[in-house]
Structures are given as C-alpha cells and as structure tokens.
Amino acid sequence: MLDLREFLTFTRSAVDEALDRILPSANLSPTKLHEAIHWSLFAGGKRIRPALVIATGRTFGAVDEKLLRTAAAIELIHTYSLVHDDLPSMDDDDLRRGRETCHKKFGEATAILAGDVMQTLAFKTIADDDSLDSDLRARLISLIADAAGTPNGMVSGQQLDLSAEGRAISIDELENIHCQKTGALIVASATSGAIIGEATDDELASVEEFARALGLLFQVTDDLLDVTQPTDALGKTAGKDRAAEKATYPSLCGIEQTKRLADELARTANYSLAGIDRDTTVLRGLVDMVATRTR
Amino acid sequence: MLDLREFLTFTRSAVDEALDRILPSANLSPTKLHEAIHWSLFAGGKRIRPALVIATGRTFGAVDEKLLRTAAAIELIHTYSLVHDDLPSMDDDDLRRGRETCHKKFGEATAILAGDVMQTLAFKTIADDDSLDSDLRARLISLIADAAGTPNGMVSGQQLDLSAEGRAISIDELENIHCQKTGALIVASATSGAIIGEATDDELASVEEFARALGLLFQVTDDLLDVTQPTDALGKTAGKDRAAEKATYPSLCGIEQTKRLADELARTANYSLAGIDRDTTVLRGLVDMVATRTR
C-alpha cells in the first residue's frame, strides 16, 4: 500500500497544480465568485476521480501530461455537483469536507454561480488541452457530458435521488440512482484515462466493468460510513441519510448484508481487471482503498 | 423587413427542430427533469442568439447544416442562465416568457438541475457535431465557454449584477456588467457563425465590434422596455429592476438620454458592418429589429 499512498499524494498535488493553472485567481474580479470556487475546490477533497483517470491512463501507457487536464476537468464537474447538491433546496447541508459548504460561506446565489461556472471551466479545459488531438478532445467532452448529464448521468441521478426521498424504493431502484448519480462520472474517469491511453475496445469494456463495480462500491461504503462513523471523522454531517429518510443499502438490507455486498463488488472490480493484460497494481490498490476506507 | 421576418420564422423553427433532436424527450425518466427542460426551452423565446449565429454564418457563406447545432447549443446556454437567474436566491422572478418560471412550476431543486444539464447538453451538442471538423468544435466550445463563464463572461456578469443591487454604480460599471452578463454570449453567437463561415481575422474583428454594440443595444432597449411597458406586453414582470433597486440606463441617465444611447449603439453596429465586404442586409435588419423592439 506504500506505493498507492505515494501515487495518491502525487496525483493530488499534480491535479491541484493543474486546477490552479486553470482557475481564475481568487483575487480577480468578481472576487466573491472566484473565492467561492477556490473554497470549494481546495478543501482537501480525496481526488478519487482524478486518481482514477491517471491510474487508468498510466495502465495503458499514457503520459501524465496528457491526463492531468482531463483529470482536473472531471474534478471540476464533481465539485460543481457537490456545491449544487448541498444547496438548501437539494440536500441542504452545512458541512462538506470538514468545513462550511459553499452556500453557507458565500450565500446561495454565489454558490449556484460558482457551480455553474465550474462546469463551464471543465469543458473549456478539455477543449483547450493541446496535449490531445482535437478528435480526442471532442470524444472526451462528449463522454464526460453524457456521464454528467441526462439520461443515465449524474444530474438525472440527482433528480431520481430527490424524488425517492421519503418513499420506499427497491434495491434495484437504489442501485440505478447510484449508478447515475455517482457511478457514471466514476466510469467516465476510468474510461477517459483508458481512451487517452489508446486502450482497445476489449480493454475499454473491461475498464468500464471494473469502474462500474468500483463506483457502486464507493457508494455502498459511503452508506456504511454514514451509519457507522461520527460527523467529525467524516468531515460531513453523519446520519443525514436517515434524517432525510433516504433509502440506503443499510436501511434496505441491514449493515451485515451491506458489508457482504461491498465484498462482492470489490471482487467483481478485481475480477474485471483480470481481463486486462497490463500491470493493474495501482487499480487493484484503489479497489482495496475504497473497500477499506474510513472517511 | 418582410425578408427579416421570414428569416426569423425560419430560424426559430429550424432551431426548435434541432433542439428537439438534441433533448431527451419529455416522457423519458426522470420525466420531471426533462419536462422542466422542455418547459423552459419551448416557451416562445425570441431565439435572437441562434438567429445571430445563422445570420452571421450565412453572411460568410456557411450552410445552415453547419450552423444549426451551434445555434441550438448557444440557446441552451442562454436558457440555462435564465432558469438560474430567475431562482429565489437570484432575481426571484415568477414569470418568464409569459408563463411561470421553471422553479415556480417544477420546484427549485429541479430548476437548478434543469439549468445544470442544459449547460451540459450545450457542450455535448457541439462536441458531437460531425458537420464540423473537430478542430473547429474544440475552438467553438472554448469560445462559448469563455463567453458563458468567468472572468468577463455571463456568470461573472451575473455575479457583478447581484453585488451591484441596492448600491450606486457608475455608467461604466453598468456597461461592464451588461457586456459580461448578456453581451459576451451575443458576441460569441455572432463570432461562432463567422468562424464556421471561415471569416478572415479582419472580418472577425468587425463582427465582434458589431455584436458588442448590438448586445449593449439589446440591454439598453431591455432597460427601456422595463420602465415603459406593462407586464402583459413583456411576458415577464415589468418594473422589477426598480423594485430590486437595480441600476439601469434610465435610472442612471433618464429615459431620453437612454433613447439617444440606443440610437448611437445602432449606428455603431451598422457602421461596424461597413467593414465587411459581404451582403449584410439581414444583420442590419437585426440591428433595426432590436432598436425598435417592443418586448
């Protein structure tokens, strides 16, 4: 696991540097907007999605130079979605990554605009990435927009999630919500890296299968942490799923069964990697890390 | 003016058809999200920006086939901004294009998500547009993202506008807000068309100058209509600038001086077209139409 920790430390700082180059500086007018973007982006996020872009890209031989801006773009999309999801009319959360959410700190209007423009900057970042030929840029933008959009993307998942609150849903419905809301962008992270690394269609299919299992594992462990960890360990409000009457894996099938599901998803993810004739050590390490995470 | 009216009728229906092909149908899950998108987009908007893309593109010889999806994408961006601007934490408006605003009809959370995903669909539409080579697609996405984003784009303009409410600002500040909030996307509409039509750099500079004046003219006449027209004629709440203590041209320099400014901007727009050795009849017609508009 030492190598994985080094890898994650490296990707976190490399992606932060890339983000810093992409973003308007916080003291540029309108400063409130730009401060809100920096506040939301540089809040000690885990940078799982960028790590996945880079890990998958490297697996297929892509150099970091070709991966970093796509990784940063996906983190911009992820962060915009967190800022909007935390809004009072959505999940209404005051705490994120251990500190005030964007709208608590800067007000609702600025939080909406900061989210809006992080999405804009994400697509611009890929459009401007001259380390990739323009065919590839167009393909990545289309793929990431599908994952971030609707139907079967992040926004449609959030809409389904909101409309499921307070009513009974099945495990299948819950899985569908997660696959769209968080899974789609995680799959897009892995496939973006693989596409930049010029993976074959067969390899791409294995990467997709791997990332689908990893994405769901991420959500299942998130649900487990929400019921087993206190707020200060999580850096976000614990127990909020129950408070919002949100269906979760533990609420639908109990903690023990949820842990078994997590084990099964980790096995599926690793099994999918077996179809790829490359060094997948780091990708396996990521599966392990998500399976055993404590925040 | 007969030709112009025909042109606008044509572009409106052609862009609506393009949008209809781009959008997930309203009865696709999650239906509430997709209904909210259709509600907001097909509300009898004037489609000025798409008309400008097509008019400028045709001026430089581009065929409609190459212009329509970019025109639709820009309308998606414009409509997303209206949906978000109308939210309670922003301009808090109940009426838009003669009917309930998106959040009044579908709730705040859905309105935020509908806006979010219209932006996503906009960039995807250009990325997928196989009538344009991929270099051109990347250039258009970058240019439109700059116009929609920050600094000096639509979102930074909205942020400046919000922070100017209720305090005294100068004419220069007001012009800066408008140039960013509405002007930037209008300029991008015209330059997108010109770029697709392979205009020269000199022609592009003239188009930019023309569109900058036209965009400001649009805002100045908007300010005038807000104080001179009743709500039912506007299709949106009249007098709301005054109610929100928003600085406008009439509030800063009076109605008569504002009318003179409008005349001057129309002259500047037409003068900029003189540098273009093409048939600019339709573009001149658009200037006339904006200068004399009653809603």
Side-chain angles (χ1 to χ4, degrees):
Chain A
M1 289 294 275
L2 184 66
D3 284 354
L4 184 71
R5 231 175 295 145
E6 268 172 29
F7 170 75
L8 291 173
T9 305
F10 164 78
T11 52
R12 201 158 32 224
S13 76
V15 167
D16 283 3
E17 272 170 39
L19 285 168
D20 202 56
R21 275 193 302 272
I22 289 161
L23 297 178
S25 85
N27 54 25
L28 193 70
S29 169
T31 50
K32 195 176 175 188
L33 177 69
H34 297 140
E35 281 168 11
I37 297 171
H38 284 258
W39 174 267
S40 305
L41 266 171
F42 299 111
K46 293 182 283 284
R47 311 290 194 222
I48 295 285
R49 292 159 192 78
L52 201 51
V53 174
I54 295 170
T56 316
R58 284 184 178 183
T59 299
F60 295 99
V63 295
D64 290 350
E65 163 71 10
K66 287 178 180 284
L67 299 163
L68 276 168
R69 272 159 290 190
T70 297
I74 288 177
E75 188 69 9
L76 277 162
I77 298 228
H78 171 58
T79 306
Y80 117 66
S81 80
L82 297 182
V83 170
H84 282 189
D85 284 5
D86 285 338
L87 287 167
S89 62
M90 304 254 213
D91 295 353
D92 192 16
D93 220 321
D94 294 351
L95 201 61
R96 164 74 65 186
R97 291 171 175 173
R99 55 182 187 165
E100 279 178 294
T101 47
C102 189
H103 67 273
K104 286 300 283 184
K105 175 90 178 164
F106 297 94
E108 233 178 294
T110 299
I112 294 169
L113 293 171
D116 287 344
V117 88
M118 281 190 269
Q119 179 174 194
T120 316
L121 286 166
F123 290 116
K124 180 176 159 59
T125 296
I126 301 177
D128 286 348
D129 186 351
D130 53 20
S131 77
L132 308 174
D133 75 40
S134 51
D135 279 346
L136 190 48
R137 283 180 248 171
R139 185 171 173 199
L140 290 169
I141 290 169
S142 180
L143 177 145
I144 292 166
D146 274 336
T150 190
N152 303 315
M154 185 179 76
V155 168
S156 51
Q158 173 68 357
Q159 180 78 43
L160 292 174
D161 195 19
L162 288 169
S163 65
E165 259 177 50
R167 68 175 179 84
I169 63 168
S170 67
I171 296 255
D172 282 353
E173 267 186 282
L174 183 64
E175 185 176 314
N176 183 40
I177 290 171
H178 289 322
C179 284
Q180 296 191 31
K181 186 177 171 178
T182 56
L185 198 61
I186 288 177
V187 171
S189 303
T191 49
S192 292
I195 287 170
I196 296 171
E198 298 176 31
T200 65
D201 287 351
D202 282 352
E203 286 169 333
L204 211 52
S206 296
V207 166
E208 260 189 66
E209 208 174 72
F210 152 77
R212 217 174 294 128
L214 181 69
L216 202 50
L217 175 63
F218 193 83
Q219 194 56 51
V220 168
T221 52
D222 206 62
D223 280 3
L224 278 171
L225 291 173
D226 188 68
V227 290
T228 59
Q229 296 282 322
T231 295
D232 57 352
L234 284 181
K236 60 184 177 182
T237 314
K240 70 167 182 158
D241 292 340
R242 206 167 39 221
E245 293 182 50
K246 269 200 179 177
T248 64
Y249 286 96
S251 74
L252 287 184
C253 54
I255 291 181
E256 285 317 305
Q257 182 64 25
T258 304
K259 285 180 177 168
R260 272 193 293 274
L261 176 61
D263 289 344
E264 196 190 304
L265 287 166
R267 269 197 307 276
T268 304
N270 282 322
Y271 181 81
S272 310
L273 293 176
I276 301 172
D277 191 21
R278 311 265 185 158
D279 180 355
T280 56
T281 313
V282 175
L283 294 176
R284 279 170 206 283
L286 285 172
V287 175
D288 227 46
M289 188 193 73
V290 172
T292 59
R293 74 200 182 108
T294 55
R295 73 172 189 101
Chain B
M1 289 293 277
L2 185 65
D3 283 354
L4 184 70
R5 230 174 296 145
E6 267 172 28
F7 169 75
L8 291 172
T9 304
F10 164 78
T11 52
R12 203 161 27 228
S13 76
V15 167
D16 283 4
E17 272 169 38
L19 284 168
D20 201 58
R21 276 193 301 271
I22 290 161
L23 298 177
S25 84
N27 55 26
L28 194 70
S29 169
T31 51
K32 194 176 175 188
L33 177 68
H34 297 140
E35 281 168 11
I37 296 171
H38 284 258
W39 174 267
S40 305
L41 265 170
F42 300 111
K46 292 182 285 283
R47 311 291 195 223
I48 295 284
R49 290 158 193 79
L52 201 51
V53 174
I54 295 169
T56 316
R58 284 185 179 183
T59 298
F60 295 98
V63 295
D64 290 350
E65 163 71 10
K66 287 178 180 285
L67 299 163
L68 276 168
R69 272 159 291 190
T70 297
I74 289 178
E75 189 68 9
L76 278 162
I77 298 226
H78 171 59
T79 305
Y80 117 66
S81 80
L82 296 183
V83 169
H84 282 189
D85 285 6
D86 285 338
L87 287 167
S89 63
M90 304 254 211
D91 294 353
D92 192 16
D93 219 322
D94 294 352
L95 201 63
R96 164 74 65 186
R97 292 172 174 173
R99 55 184 188 165
E100 279 179 296
T101 46
C102 189
H103 67 274
K104 287 299 284 185
K105 176 90 178 166
F106 298 95
E108 233 179 294
T110 299
I112 293 170
L113 293 171
D116 287 345
V117 88
M118 281 191 268
Q119 180 175 193
T120 316
L121 287 166
F123 290 116
K124 179 175 159 60
T125 296
I126 301 178
D128 287 348
D129 186 352
D130 54 19
S131 77
L132 308 174
D133 75 41
S134 51
D135 278 347
L136 190 49
R137 282 180 249 172
R139 186 172 173 198
L140 289 170
I141 290 169
S142 180
L143 177 145
I144 292 166
D146 274 336
T150 190
N152 304 316
M154 186 180 75
V155 168
S156 51
Q158 173 68 357
Q159 181 78 43
L160 292 174
D161 195 20
L162 288 169
S163 65
E165 260 177 50
R167 70 174 177 83
I169 62 168
S170 66
I171 295 255
D172 281 355
E173 267 186 281
L174 183 64
E175 186 176 315
N176 183 39
I177 290 170
H178 288 322
C179 284
Q180 296 191 31
K181 185 177 171 178
T182 55
L185 198 61
I186 288 177
V187 171
S189 303
T191 49
S192 292
I195 288 170
I196 296 171
E198 299 177 29
T200 65
D201 287 351
D202 282 351
E203 288 170 332
L204 211 51
S206 296
V207 166
E208 261 189 66
E209 211 174 69
F210 152 77
R212 218 174 292 128
L214 182 69
L216 202 49
L217 175 64
F218 193 81
Q219 194 55 53
V220 168
T221 53
D222 206 60
D223 280 4
L224 277 171
L225 291 173
D226 188 68
V227 290
T228 59
Q229 297 281 323
T231 294
D232 58 351
L234 284 181
K236 60 184 177 182
T237 314
K240 70 168 181 155
D241 292 339
R242 206 166 39 221
E245 292 183 50
K246 270 202 177 172
T248 64
Y249 285 96
S251 75
L252 287 185
C253 54
I255 292 181
E256 284 316 305
Q257 181 65 26
T258 304
K259 285 181 177 167
R260 272 194 293 276
L261 176 62
D263 289 344
E264 195 190 304
L265 287 165
R267 270 197 306 277
T268 304
N270 281 322
Y271 181 79
S272 309
L273 293 176
I276 302 172
D277 191 20
R278 311 265 184 158
D279 180 355
T280 56
T281 313
V282 175
L283 294 177
R284 282 170 203 281
L286 286 173
V287 176
D288 227 47
M289 187 193 73
V290 173
T292 58
R293 76 201 183 103
T294 54
R295 70 172 193 106

